[in-house]
Amino acid sequence: MTSTVKDMLATYPADLGDVDRDKLTRCIEECIACAQACTACADACLSEGMVGDLTKCIRTDMDCADICTTTASVLSRHTGYDANITRAMLQACATACKACGDECESHADMHEHCRICAEACRSCETACNELLQALG
């Protein structure tokens, strides 16, 4: 099965070097999925009756969504590539995903949206760390 991310990477006219395309593809896709899950989770938290108790969750969701979106964008650009920026973005994204996953997990027994978001965060954190390792 192909994906838009994989198809776009295949159309890049210059050499991408030794980057693991499968790990790159997965990381971009996980970042996009996590950003969506975090945005939806923050919105769902705002609809909960106990919204005041979810302030930290909402803030962490929104931060994670923004960082994931930015990471996906940086990973999608290859012209003038700077490995140091890419590594910093991947580290920041993994850190944000861990924090958000931990926060959402603490509410997962009461809120299904938090459980789903925590899973998306864990998956994205893993993908970022795997790509980071592959980049060396």
Side-chain angles (χ1 to χ4, degrees), residues 12-39:
Y12 190 68
D15 182 16
L16 288 177
D18 343 343
V19 68
D20 183 323
R21 286 179 184 244
D22 290 335
K23 284 186 167 91
L24 178 60
T25 299
R26 178 171 175 251
C27 192
I28 293 169
E29 290 172 342
E30 292 291 347
C31 285
I32 294 166
C34 189
Q36 189 280 326
C38 289
T39 300

Side-chain angles (χ1 to χ4, degrees), residues 101-122:
D102 290 349
E103 179 62 27
C104 281
E105 200 169 85
S106 72
H107 305 285
D109 58 337
M110 292 185 297
H111 305 293
E112 182 69 1
H113 53 84
C114 287
R115 184 192 65 75
I116 293 168
C117 188
E119 286 178 8
C121 288
R122 300 288 185 226

Side-chain angles (χ1 to χ4, degrees), residues 3-6 9 19-36 64-65 67-78 81 85-95 97 120-135:
S3 71
T4 302
V5 173
K6 189 174 192 165
L9 287 172
V19 68
D20 183 323
R21 286 179 184 244
D22 290 335
K23 284 186 167 91
L24 178 60
T25 299
R26 178 171 175 251
C27 192
I28 293 169
E29 290 172 342
E30 292 291 347
C31 285
I32 294 166
C34 189
Q36 189 280 326
C64 191
I67 292 167
C68 286
T69 299
T70 301
T71 302
S73 294
V74 168
L75 293 176
S76 296
R77 295 189 289 263
H78 306 285
Y81 171 77
I85 291 173
T86 300
R87 284 187 195 95
M89 288 303 305
L90 287 168
Q91 185 60 54
C93 193
T95 299
C97 287
C121 288
R122 300 288 185 226
S123 187
C124 188
E125 177 188 6
T126 297
C128 286
N129 284 328
E130 287 176 357
L131 181 56
L132 200 50
Q133 280 185 328
L135 293 176

Side-chain angles (χ1 to χ4, degrees), residues 44-57:
C45 286
L46 288 169
S47 294
E48 294 290 350
M50 55 188 285
V51 69
D53 296 336
L54 296 170
T55 303
K56 184 176 179 188
C57 190

